Amino acid sequence: MKIFDNFNLKELNTFHISVNAKKLVVIESENELPQIQSIIKNNKYLILGGGSNVLFVNDFDGIIIKNEITGKEIIKETDEEIFLKIKSGEIWHDIVMWTVNNNWNGIENLSLIPGTAGAAPVQNIGAYGVEIKDVLEEVKIFHLETQSFQVLKNQECRFSYRDSIFKHELKDKTFITEIVLKLKKKNHVYKTDYGNIKEELSQLNVTTLSPEKIAQAVIRIRTSKLPDPAIIGNAGSFFKNPEVSSKKYLEIKNKYPDVVAFPLSNHTYKIAAGWMIEKLGLKGLEYKGAAVHSKQALVLINKNNATGKDLFDLSEIIINKIFDNFGILLEREVNIIT
Ligand SMILES: Cc1cc2nc3c(=O)[nH]c(=O)nc-3n(C[C@H](O)[C@H](O)[C@H](O)COP(=O)(O)OP(=O)(O)OC[C@H]3O[C@@H](n4cnc5c(N)ncnc54)[C@H](O)[C@@H]3O)c2cc1C
């Protein structure tokens, strides 16, 4: 365990917001977790992975618990399946590359998502038709209050679109220490219907699908569309795509026949929030140091030394305009830290 007082968090969040925390505690092994309670005492605290889904609006008057617990192993294997135990501080994309290089199938569509493996279940990360819930066996957690470990099976995590129990009942109460993934060694059904995967695969002249080829296509698409947080501060999609009733969808469709939306199984529709933002001419909009990315309207960026407040205020402007125009209340995907 390492402890630093009055620590600047600029390098620990992908928006590169320069704020200070009262204390930074770096956890390198789950054996250190029982000591955390006496450090936290009555202070406010935040568990931090790669900082790629948080927006610090002010200095953090509390303790940042930074997860650096690493390690990975195969725990079970059959002809068809493989079970991997991954410590939560592992870099998610490195894990994807490990699986892809070994020809294990299941998370290739989730290539290049920044952050740690332990944060992946928190918002049930998803991309190109795959969510981590599709391959997640279990999650091991440490309850900070009771100082006890527990294993949650997939069903107990109550996953849904960018959501889980870790954003509700267990929010800020538990530290995820490891995850177990169940991947396929054969008979895998690849998901290529989303985004431009098919087009990209044909450009790469791919005739036989493999996790490596899918990952390659996904990486090429993502690199061409999304700003690299190492160069332009951002946290990926800032808003969730809202789910609306079929009545609401038809209302929008009548007004805007080009609406981008996807039917869901329960007679509702998911409307592309990026489409709505673009439709209102907000792509590229700047507010103080913050801006809406000019290539991808769902992504807000730190364009010019933005503060967390600049980015937050820009997100408020967008939420209000979308509500006034479409009658839909956008929800932030990024965790706002005050
Ligand atoms: C360029 C870019 C592209 C992105 N693309 C996608 C995408 O395609 N799909 C997608 O779903 N997301 C995407 N994201 C968002 C982000 O990468 C994911 O949400 C990621 O899982 C966050 O990981 P992290 O370690 O950085 O979490 P952090 O930002 O550090 O934390 C996020 C939340 O999880 C909590 N948390 C973190 N670790 C733990 C733990 N060990 N135990 C308990 N709670 C914890 C934190 O308290 C916080 O509430 C993107 C982000 C960027 C910058």
Side-chain angles (χ1 to χ4, degrees):
M1 183 185 299
K2 294 189 199 116
I3 301 181
F4 304 88
D5 286 324
N6 197 26
F7 196 90
N8 188 276
L9 301 175
K10 189 170 180 175
E11 301 306 321
L12 299 189
N13 72 97
T14 60
F15 267 123
H16 307 303
I17 302 296
S18 179
V19 289
N20 289 336
K22 212 157 78 176
K23 211 184 261 300
L24 171 76
V25 179
V26 180
I27 301 289
E28 293 163 313
S29 150
E30 63 181 49
N31 300 331
E32 296 169 349
L33 285 170
Q35 298 167 49
I36 276 284
Q37 194 58 29
S38 64
I39 298 172
I40 301 171
K41 288 193 200 105
N42 295 321
N43 286 288
K44 87 175 186 184
Y45 61 86
L46 175 78
I47 300 166
L48 193 67
S52 64
N53 205 19
V54 288
L55 175 65
F56 288 103
V57 178
N58 324 101
D59 281 333
F60 188 74
D61 185 25
I63 299 171
I64 298 286
I65 306 170
K66 169 94 168 71
N67 178 18
E68 291 189 4
I69 306 175
T70 54
K72 57 182 192 293
E73 60 176 316
I74 298 169
I75 51 168
K76 199 163 75 176
E77 197 171 354
T78 63
D79 271 0
E80 197 151 320
E81 290 170 342
I82 186 154
F83 293 75
L84 308 173
K85 184 187 278 185
I86 295 146
K87 296 286 180 193
S88 56
E90 286 286 337
I91 302 299
W92 174 255
H93 180 67
D94 293 349
I95 296 299
V96 176
M97 289 298 104
W98 177 49
T99 65
V100 159
N101 292 334
N102 282 289
N103 219 18
W104 302 327
N105 304 275
I107 52 174
E108 54 282 350
N109 293 45
L110 302 179
S111 297
L112 219 60
I113 297 181
T116 52
V122 175
Q123 75 153 3
N124 179 25
I125 57 165
Y128 301 98
V130 174
E131 292 178 316
I132 194 174
K133 76 166 172 46
D134 304 335
V135 293
L136 195 91
E137 243 338 70
E138 55 191 40
V139 177
K140 186 174 172 192
I141 55 178
F142 178 76
H143 290 275
L144 292 162
E145 253 175 47
T146 56
Q147 309 234 353
S148 54
F149 287 94
Q150 186 188 358
V151 172
L152 296 181
K153 301 302 282 181
N154 181 311
Q155 288 298 316
E156 294 174 291
C157 298
R158 288 198 236 130
F159 290 121
S160 60
Y161 167 62
R162 298 295 184 275
D163 207 8
S164 75
I165 193 168
F166 307 108
K167 293 184 87 173
H168 300 280
E169 288 96 309
L170 297 185
K171 187 172 166 56
D172 298 328
K173 292 198 172 85
T174 56
F175 186 115
I176 295 173
T177 59
E178 63 190 35
I179 60 175
V180 174
L181 303 179
K182 176 173 133 183
L183 302 184
K184 286 244 180 179
K185 287 165 71 181
K186 54 183 180 189
N187 299 331
H188 181 61
V189 182
Y190 292 101
K191 293 224 167 133
T192 57
D193 287 341
Y194 292 78
N196 296 337
I197 296 190
K198 276 196 178 129
E199 290 85 330
E200 203 61 47
L201 288 169
S202 95
Q203 276 189 23
L204 289 165
N205 294 322
V206 173
T207 43
T208 313
L209 293 179
S210 69
E212 193 195 349
K213 291 296 171 202
I214 303 268
Q216 202 181 341
V218 168
I219 290 169
R220 280 170 60 117
I221 300 169
R222 292 184 69 105
T223 322
S224 70
K225 273 184 24 187
L226 290 169
D228 178 354
I231 301 165
I232 302 174
N234 77 92
S237 303
F238 199 92
F239 303 101
K240 291 188 188 180
N241 292 315
E243 197 179 315
V244 301
S245 65
S246 50
K247 181 167 173 264
K248 183 79 202 171
Y249 164 71
L250 289 174
E251 197 184 287
I252 296 175
K253 177 100 182 144
N254 277 337
K255 198 166 165 199
Y256 303 101
D258 62 336
V259 59
V260 178
F262 315 91
L264 301 171
S265 49
N266 51 354
H267 304 293
T268 60
Y269 285 79
K270 197 183 273 183
I271 310 263
W275 173 84
M276 290 196 278
I277 296 170
E278 207 172 333
K279 200 75 205 167
L280 298 186
L282 304 176
K283 209 178 191 181
L285 175 73
E286 291 184 25
Y287 176 79
K288 298 188 179 170
V292 179
H293 189 49
S294 55
K295 280 197 200 159
Q296 175 53 267
L298 206 47
V299 176
L300 302 192
I301 58 169
N302 177 351
K303 183 154 190 193
N304 188 13
N305 289 321
T307 62
K309 174 102 173 37
D310 296 345
L311 280 150
F312 182 80
D313 289 348
L314 175 60
S315 71
E316 282 285 293
I317 292 169
I318 294 168
I319 288 172
N320 289 335
K321 284 193 190 289
I322 298 286
F323 188 75
D324 291 348
N325 241 277
F326 296 97
I328 292 175
L329 190 60
L330 280 189
E331 215 183 301
R332 293 178 183 88
E333 182 178 314
V334 172
N335 297 281
I336 305 298
I337 314 295
T338 52

